Amino acid sequence: MPSNELKEFIHQLPKAELHIHLEGAITPETVLKLAKQNKMQDTLPAKDVDGLRKWFQFSGFDHFVSIYVTIQNLLRTPDDFALIAYDLGADMYRQNILYRETTFTPHTHIDYQHKGLTIQDILSGLDQGRQQAHQDFGVEIRWVFDIYRNLAFINSPNSEYNPEPAEKTLLYAQAGLGHGVVGFGIGGNEVGAPSAPFQETFLQAKQSGLLSVPHAGETMGAESVWEAVRVLQADRIGHGVRSIEDPELIEYLRDYHITLEVNPTSNLCLHVYDSIKNHPFQRLDQAGILVTINTDDPPLFNTTLLDEYALIADAFGYGKQDLARFTRNAFLATGADLETKQSLLENFDSQVTNLL
Ligand SMILES: [Zn+2]
């Protein structure tokens, strides 16, 4: 365990987080609230918070997906989206996270689950929640809209590519410009769902002013990260940890300043690595890669951003200077507008000087 002094530092450090999923950040308390509001308690496996907390405990990928789908199904109205965005901001305040770039998958809510929601419903809810959180807690929330890649290959691996999920997500992300959407991503299982068919959509997203922030190098190795940088012109990589398997790729990521959004506990839960000691975080850092610390789906992996910093510090013996450096990497790689980014960085630098 890190010392109490280092733990206190981790809390006081003004942090930015670049990789967290909106639905994967919903707590058991909020799940219950949403279910009651929408009279959907019978869709849940438990009737109280304790029961839901037990259900949340990670026990394997299939269980993880079933929780995720159940949570998505509970989101029915603009107010529901306002509630979860506001909760996300309250959690930021508790952990002293000043900026969160949060991934959300609009296509699954609008076109896949037929709930009668429009992109305007969702954007107005998200806007309301994030603006209220900004007002009450002073935190900045931005969005990455992403494609669930496996929906584009329904009968993968041999099915034809279905362009609808990507094209619709692009339209939703473009509608979200000016509503806090700053990035365009893709997630899901990389196996049997290659990046090449998504090239044109990502190109258009970048031309619209969005960052390209695909997940890659999690369920597959370096070749998937190569695809993400070459085909999707990634500005950052979600995970990307398995890049360590290819020295040439490591050189490329370093030379082009492509930041990795590392999620240590998520990688352990999903068996990308069997122990934190075997996790490549430190080797990536030593190779000169811009690494950042993130949570992915914190309540589902029973973690927080504070826990992730403590885990990394403990596993690799990092001290205050190193942890501040990883946070700075995150502030540098945000997709926020220049003015917001500059003010966040100035604030970070001045606060850190007093903390070190
Ligand atoms: Zn993720």
Side-chain angles (χ1 to χ4, degrees), residues 279-295:
H279 193 282
F281 185 93
Q282 189 179 36
R283 282 176 283 149
L284 290 162
D285 176 39
Q286 286 168 343
I289 303 291
L290 297 165
V291 282
T292 61
I293 300 173
N294 307 273
T295 56

Side-chain angles (χ1 to χ4, degrees), residues 19-21 103 215 218 238-239 263 266 296-297:
H19 193 122
I20 177 168
H21 296 262
T103 296
H215 284 57
E218 177 194 18
H239 298 285
N263 305 275
S266 162
D296 217 3
D297 305 284

Side-chain angles (χ1 to χ4, degrees), residues 175-279:
L177 294 166
H179 297 271
V181 179
V182 297
F184 195 70
I186 184 167
N189 191 343
E190 297 154 71
V191 179
S195 292
F198 300 95
Q199 180 171 35
E200 181 56 31
T201 319
F202 268 77
L203 196 71
Q204 287 180 37
K206 287 194 76 148
Q207 281 165 353
S208 307
L210 297 163
L211 287 187
S212 164
V213 289
H215 284 57
E218 177 194 18
T219 44
M220 276 177 73
E223 71 274 26
S224 173
V225 181
W226 274 123
E227 254 199 324
V229 291
R230 287 182 172 145
V231 176
L232 307 180
Q233 297 182 23
D235 298 292
R236 298 193 314 249
I237 304 282
H239 298 285
V241 281
R242 290 189 58 192
S243 306
I244 199 72
E245 294 163 18
D246 181 347
E248 217 175 295
L249 174 60
I250 288 293
E251 248 172 66
Y252 185 95
L253 296 176
R254 187 192 56 215
D255 292 350
Y256 286 90
H257 307 288
I258 296 171
T259 301
L260 299 191
E261 306 157 5
V262 183
N263 305 275
T265 296
S266 162
N267 291 160
L268 299 181
C269 284
L270 298 175
H271 305 296
V272 183
Y273 299 99
D274 61 1
S275 79
I276 192 66
K277 293 280 179 199
N278 290 332
H279 193 282

Side-chain angles (χ1 to χ4, degrees), residues 93-134:
Y93 178 71
R94 284 191 294 272
Q95 299 191 66
N96 200 19
I97 301 168
L98 303 190
Y99 179 93
R100 236 175 197 171
E101 217 157 276
T102 309
T103 296
F104 176 66
T105 319
H107 169 69
T108 55
H109 293 276
I110 301 169
D111 308 295
Y112 192 63
Q113 297 179 330
H114 298 286
K115 302 186 284 194
L117 280 166
T118 66
I119 186 62
Q120 281 72 29
D121 293 333
I122 290 178
L123 285 171
S124 79
L126 293 178
D127 258 347
Q128 197 194 324
R130 104 187 156 97
Q131 281 161 9
Q132 194 65 46
H134 178 72

